[in-house]
Amino acid sequence: MDIAWQIIGRVQRVGFRYWAIQTVNKIGNISGYIRNADDGSVIVYARGESADLQRLKAYLYQGPLFARVDSIIDISSPNVYFPPIENGVFKRI
């Protein structure tokens, strides 16, 4: 299953992408990317089992210490470029 989320709030300059990668590594079985968007939000593009992705979404609502997540929006097609997902790799770009 592929998903794309836009995370809105104080999510840039707080280590959110680094924290998200560490969280994905703890969950396991998720591939994809995370990147900053020009509007101050963060975009996640991920592939994995539905249960693992829902677990990730729950963690993303918490975020790292100095982050504040106001909302996570499901987006059908991110308006930023992502390379093809590499199986077993989740990284920030």
Side-chain angles (χ1 to χ4, degrees):
M1 170 179 202
D2 289 357
I3 57 90
W5 291 314
Q6 181 178 18
I7 303 165
I8 298 172
R10 186 176 58 236
V11 292
Q12 291 189 16
R13 298 185 181 154
V14 292
F16 196 93
R17 291 179 299 153
Y18 175 79
W19 172 87
I21 291 169
Q22 300 306 311
T23 301
V24 166
N25 289 336
K26 288 178 189 173
I27 296 170
N29 300 319
I30 297 174
S31 305
Y33 299 96
I34 186 167
R35 70 172 287 167
N36 288 337
D38 293 338
D39 64 1
S41 65
V42 169
I43 306 292
V44 174
Y45 182 50
R47 176 180 295 155
E49 296 294 322
S50 181
D52 293 329
L53 293 173
Q54 290 308 312
R55 193 168 160 207
L56 172 60
K57 188 174 185 178
Y59 278 115
L60 292 174
Y61 268 110
Q62 297 171 11
L65 182 61
F66 296 108
R68 184 194 74 245
V69 175
D70 295 331
S71 62
I72 298 177
I73 299 169
D74 292 327
I75 52 179
S76 59
S77 175
N79 62 354
V80 292
Y81 170 74
F82 286 100
I85 290 178
E86 300 173 46
N87 195 25
V89 177
F90 191 87
K91 58 186 170 183
R92 63 185 186 165
I93 55 172

